[in-house]
Amino acid sequence: MKWSPSLAFAIGGGRFSSQFSKMGSWQNDDSVIRRVLETSKTIALVGASKNVERASNHVMADLQRMGYRIIPTNPGLAKQNVELYGERVYPNLEAAFADHEIDLVDVFRRSEDAGEFVDEAIKFGAKAVWLQMGVVDEEAGKRAVSAGLDVVMDSCPLPESRRLGISGPST
């Protein structure tokens, strides 16, 4: 699968009014994307897959190679006691947060399901939420920003890290 840069719709850090356009859509903010990619060390990946053809599998492997710790979540795989790239698969974010200090929740689910995971990220103390390409939930994004989280929507960290010259988390 060939990845290409997408528009990253990002908002965060309490700068909501200056980044939400008059048309009502999220706006790019490279400083938010950079902060999320540089400060996140542990990422919960919602919608992890063991299928190497799936984007979530590819992204997990590449982010690990870049030095991030990826905690996969998938209730079906968790029931099978599957490990992905050496990491235990958790059934949900609550279980993942119980065992790990998670900085970023990366969501590979449909837009209509994203709000649930954004709300859990807020509840369990994530610092940021990243909704993958094609995933947009502006209301959930507003809730996250109001709670102090950085939010990136409709984007993938792989092309964004390449575009911004980020090779992994800051040490």
Side-chain angles (χ1 to χ4, degrees), residues 47-62:
S49 175
K50 66 180 180 179
N51 180 347
V52 296
E53 305 272 325
R54 301 290 303 258
S56 62
N57 184 286
H58 173 76
V59 169
M60 179 176 177
D62 280 2

Side-chain angles (χ1 to χ4, degrees), residues 29-100:
D29 184 340
D30 286 351
S31 67
V32 172
I33 294 169
R34 180 175 297 283
R35 179 172 53 247
V36 171
L37 291 172
E38 289 180 342
T39 63
S40 299
K41 292 179 178 30
T42 304
I43 302 170
L45 194 143
V46 176
S49 175
K50 66 180 180 179
N51 180 347
V52 296
E53 305 272 325
R54 301 290 303 258
S56 62
N57 184 286
H58 173 76
V59 169
M60 179 176 177
D62 280 2
L63 289 175
Q64 274 190 333
R65 278 191 283 275
M66 292 171 67
Y68 297 97
R69 176 137 191 230
I70 310 300
I71 308 301
T73 69
N74 179 311
L77 293 179
K79 286 179 187 175
Q80 300 170 30
N81 293 318
V82 170
E83 281 192 3
L84 289 178
Y85 300 104
E87 292 288 352
R88 170 185 168 199
V89 178
Y90 286 83
N92 53 45
L93 287 174
E94 182 175 15
F97 271 93
D99 286 353
H100 303 280

